[in-house]
Amino acid sequence: MPRKAMELLTESMFYVLMALCREPMCGIDIATFIEKRTGGRIQMGPATLYTILGKFEKEKYIRETEVSGRKRTYQVTEKGAEAYRAELERLRRCLEDAESCMRGGI
Amino acid sequence: MSEKRSAYRLPPCPAYDVEGMESWLSDLSAEGLELERDGFFLGIASFRRVETPRRLRYRLEAAPNSGKFLEDDNSTPQQEALELSEALGWEFITRRGDFFIYAAPEDGTRELNTDPRVQALALDMVRKRQKGAIFRCVFWGILYPLLISRIPPALALLYLPTALVILSPILLIWMLAGAIHEARHLKRLRQKLQEGIGLDHGTDWKQRAQRHHIRRGLCAGLWILWVCLLLQFVGLSITEEDHIPLAEYNAEVPFATLEDMTVYPAEHRENSILSSTVREWTTLLAAKNYDWNELGYITGPDGIGFEGTFYVEYHETAAAWLAWLAAQEYHQHDKWDYSPLFHESNYEAIELPELQADLAIAYYNQYHATTVVLQQDNIVMRAVIFPHRSDTPLYSLKDWVRVMDAKLAEAVK
């Protein structure tokens, strides 16, 4: 059955949720966290990050907790944490299948 | 780097051609032209010349909210988006259409969008707004003019000049085609992004530039022509320069006039408000049209006078169905026309004798003037007689209508 748009998290979306599951952050801190975590492999573009934050807020995956000047701090919601765990589980199974495939030669 | 002076350019592609716009702006920056803050006005881009040209990256980002009526409304992104962009090396420049434009140096700065699938989500907001554009075309192009003018559509076709009748649907179709083209372009762009393919920031914008300029020039020319024709039409309606005084008009008319309603001689006069005039015109859908206004005075042998106004609107249309439709519109317009003085309709139907006309309706209109609408084949007319004094030598309504009907039947032959 095809998955709906928000069920399918892109890599960028996954890492944003990862950052916010760790602790509440503002946008620039999320970008910095992702860059450090991936060793520079993912350098989040500002428009990408801003679109993801807007989409997640609309889908109630995250909520705004603090506004300080132009900075807005976000926190993951239970719905967002659940989506993150589901994606993590999916990726883990993909990895397990791939590794067992490598071992078994199938 | 010092600023020298401004330069102006016409964009070679529409606002929604994201790849074309990005490529064009980047190419111009390499020539020393950098887009100015709030750099779009009425579709013209304004640039500052820099002494040392440097190639900039320009990127268009879908705006989350619709802009104002004008394509270039110079609204800005939200503060948080501005802060994020600046922190990561991107400067917000201006807005054009549904897109914000950002710039950054060619090297070093990460891309504005690093995930095509997320960019596709942002584009969805623009596409949703686009769907409304087609409905807006229909509303502003058809419904709104009819609502504002209060002229029923078939009668509008008979009264409006041929050039306006031809040009109006052309412009409407052009607007609709433009909206559909934009919707299809954005759909293709979205599909590309959804497949994970990034945009081509170096696309060859020159290829389509000439076609785009020709299209824009033609469209602007047609709109200017349309506005001029409309102003001319409205101007003539107000000044009545094309109305000929009856005293100077010698041609025969194909309908009955005041003279035909009485055995006594009728005289035309003018007062400070009314004058006896006729207007003749031809349109695409009606070869002959008359607007007859007669302020008549009739004196009988015993001195009893008649003073009144007699109006005729007469059209020889291109088809019987059009004449029938116009007749219905005349009738309905009068029936539902409420008197501003009495705040109610004074409409009252009048019974008519058997006539030759295909359609014959008589009534008192909101001003209690006797009105008759006749239609036979492709000819339709509405006659209104409004006596200012009623003590006299005119035919009765039934005889009057028979005279009009007979004259109409002759015209049809």
Side-chain angles (χ1 to χ4, degrees), chain A residues 10 12 35 45 48 70 74, chain B residues 79-80 86 110 112 114-115:
Chain A
T10 67
S12 307
E35 190 173 347
T48 298
R70 296 200 295 181
Y74 298 93
Chain B
Q79 289 302 310
E80 189 193 14
E86 281 164 17
R110 68 187 65 183
L112 191 70
T114 48
D115 189 335

Side-chain angles (χ1 to χ4, degrees), chain B residues 105-116:
Chain B
E106 175 74 4
D107 47 350
T109 317
R110 68 187 65 183
E111 271 295 334
L112 191 70
N113 278 292
T114 48
D115 189 335

Side-chain angles (χ1 to χ4, degrees), chain A:
Chain A
M1 191 176 197
R3 302 176 75 176
K4 289 183 208 168
M6 270 315 291
E7 287 179 4
L8 191 66
L9 296 177
T10 67
E11 189 178 44
S12 307
M13 291 176 176
F14 179 71
Y15 274 96
V16 168
L17 278 181
M18 184 195 294
L20 291 174
C21 278
R22 186 178 169 82
E23 61 184 359
M25 288 184 197
C26 67
I28 190 64
D29 291 339
I30 294 171
T32 309
F33 171 87
I34 292 170
E35 190 173 347
K36 278 193 181 145
R37 200 81 199 160
T38 60
R41 182 176 64 85
I42 297 176
Q43 292 193 339
M44 187 79 70
T48 298
L49 180 54
Y50 186 71
T51 303
I52 290 172
L53 290 173
K55 189 71 180 171
F56 279 175
E57 212 177 357
K58 195 174 165 193
E59 296 291 330
K60 299 197 184 349
Y61 279 17
I62 64 176
R63 65 167 165 264
E64 184 185 285
T65 56
E66 193 187 320
V67 179
S68 170
R70 296 200 295 181
K71 237 180 226 193
R72 293 166 72 187
T73 303
Y74 298 93
Q75 181 183 50
V76 73
T77 62
E78 186 47 45
K79 188 179 177 186
E82 180 54 43
Y84 175 71
R85 284 192 291 269
E87 182 66 10
L88 190 58
E89 182 58 27
R90 188 185 74 85
L91 290 169
R92 198 172 277 142
R93 287 195 179 174
C94 282
L95 195 55
E96 275 172 20
D97 292 340
E99 283 175 344
S100 84
C101 186
M102 291 279 285
R103 283 193 299 272
I106 299 166

Side-chain angles (χ1 to χ4, degrees), chain B residues 81-261:
Chain B
L82 283 174
E83 198 224 344
L84 262 174
S85 309
E86 281 164 17
L88 295 171
W90 287 88
E91 183 190 356
F92 169 71
I93 305 296
T94 188
R95 175 176 182 148
R96 185 177 184 227
D98 282 311
F99 296 90
F100 292 129
I101 300 177
Y102 291 84
E106 175 74 4
D107 47 350
T109 317
R110 68 187 65 183
E111 271 295 334
L112 191 70
N113 278 292
T114 48
D115 189 335
R117 290 191 180 89
V118 172
Q119 196 174 2
L121 287 178
L123 210 56
D124 277 344
M125 292 182 283
V126 176
R127 289 186 66 229
K128 265 185 202 152
R129 290 198 292 271
Q130 241 304 302
K131 282 175 188 164
I134 292 167
F135 295 108
R136 282 194 296 274
C137 278
V138 172
F139 177 78
W140 290 109
I142 300 174
L143 295 177
Y144 184 75
L146 287 174
L147 286 169
I148 282 290
S149 66
R150 297 184 58 210
I151 302 175
L155 290 177
L157 290 175
L158 300 181
Y159 274 93
L160 289 174
T162 299
L164 267 180
V165 169
I166 293 173
L167 206 47
S168 298
I170 288 175
L171 285 171
L172 181 64
I173 290 168
W174 194 305
M175 276 163 51
L176 277 171
I180 292 169
H181 186 263
E182 181 176 348
R184 286 176 63 191
H185 181 91
L186 290 174
K187 187 181 174 184
R188 275 198 303 270
L189 208 63
R190 193 212 181 264
Q191 264 169 346
K192 185 174 166 178
L193 291 167
Q194 192 58 30
E195 287 164 14
I197 303 167
L199 298 183
D200 179 5
H201 307 299
T203 196
D204 185 4
W205 53 268
K206 289 175 189 157
Q207 254 187 354
R208 8 187 220 271
Q210 194 184 32
R211 249 195 347 250
H212 175 74
H213 288 318
I214 289 171
R215 257 200 312 266
R216 287 284 288 228
L218 202 56
C219 186
L222 287 175
W223 272 111
I224 290 168
L225 181 62
W226 186 86
V227 168
C228 289
L229 287 170
L230 187 67
L231 287 174
Q232 185 192 41
F233 172 70
V234 170
L236 281 174
S237 305
I238 295 168
T239 61
E240 298 188 345
E241 276 174 25
D242 53 350
H243 285 56
I244 305 167
L246 286 185
E248 296 168 24
Y249 187 75
N250 298 317
E252 279 267 337
V253 291
F255 47 86
T257 65
L258 204 55
E259 232 170 30
D260 298 309
M261 308 304 182

Side-chain angles (χ1 to χ4, degrees), chain B residues 284-335:
Chain B
L284 184 67
L285 295 172
K288 258 193 214 172
N289 300 275
Y290 293 89
D291 209 346
W292 178 272
N293 297 297
E294 197 173 355
L295 175 59
Y297 290 78
I298 299 167
T299 308
D302 51 4
I304 298 172
F306 166 85
E307 181 188 337
T309 41
F310 183 61
Y311 303 104
V312 176
E313 287 149 306
Y314 174 97
H315 312 279
E316 285 180 20
T317 71
W321 65 264
L322 182 57
W324 178 88
L325 192 59
Q328 297 296 336
E329 285 182 358
Y330 270 132
H331 178 216
Q332 292 303 318
H333 185 264
D334 285 340
K335 190 174 183 184

